């Protein structure tokens, strides 16, 4: 399990995460679950899984962050190697 620190985007104003990509080695099996919190670690929401056998590890599922921040968490399912380099967040400001 890897749990990040709060990520503040858009100067603390609301934003939408359009997709999330995991830069990691391709493995023979396994998935990595991506969850996130928008309420300072109190609750984590499941957002999808990265297929570790695929060279393209991207979740194309938008989510909204009203408080201007979120905290990512990754959990690997298998007892196999896990070598990740980065979590890439594609986001855009929310126009109110």
């Amino acid at each position: 399990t890897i749990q990040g620190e709060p990520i503040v985007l858009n100067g603390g104003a609301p934003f939408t995460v359009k997709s999330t990509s995991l830069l990691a080695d391709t493995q023979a099996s396994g998935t990595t679950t991506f969850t996130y919190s928008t309420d300072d670690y109190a609750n984590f929401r499941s957002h999808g899984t990265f297929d570790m056998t695929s060279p393209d590890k991207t979740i194309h599922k938008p989510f909204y962050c009203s408080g201007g921040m979120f905290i990512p968490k990754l959990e690997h399912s298998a007892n196999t190697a896990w070598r990740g380099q980065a979590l890439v967040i594609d986001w855009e400001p929310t126009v109110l």
Side-chain angles (χ1 to χ4, degrees):
T1 300
I2 299 170
Q3 184 170 297
E5 61 185 24
I7 297 172
V8 178
L9 299 171
N10 199 29
F15 61 91
T16 300
V17 172
K18 300 186 319 184
S19 67
T20 309
S21 299
L22 177 63
L23 300 182
D25 289 354
T26 300
Q27 300 297 322
S29 65
T31 60
T32 297
T33 302
F34 173 61
T35 59
Y36 67 94
S37 173
T38 57
D39 57 7
D40 205 21
Y41 301 96
N43 298 290
F44 280 86
R45 296 180 183 132
S46 179
H47 190 65
T49 58
F50 298 105
D51 178 358
M52 299 306 289
T53 67
S54 172
D56 177 26
K57 298 168 188 65
T58 302
I59 299 172
H60 296 282
K61 183 176 161 187
F63 64 91
Y64 175 71
C65 296
S66 62
M69 63 80 87
F70 78 104
I71 301 162
K73 183 164 61 170
L74 300 171
E75 295 179 81
H76 185 53
S77 68
N79 188 17
T80 58
W82 193 98
R83 290 179 294 275
Q85 291 82 31
L87 189 63
V88 179
I89 309 298
D90 182 15
W91 67 279
E92 65 185 6
T94 300
V95 179
L96 300 175

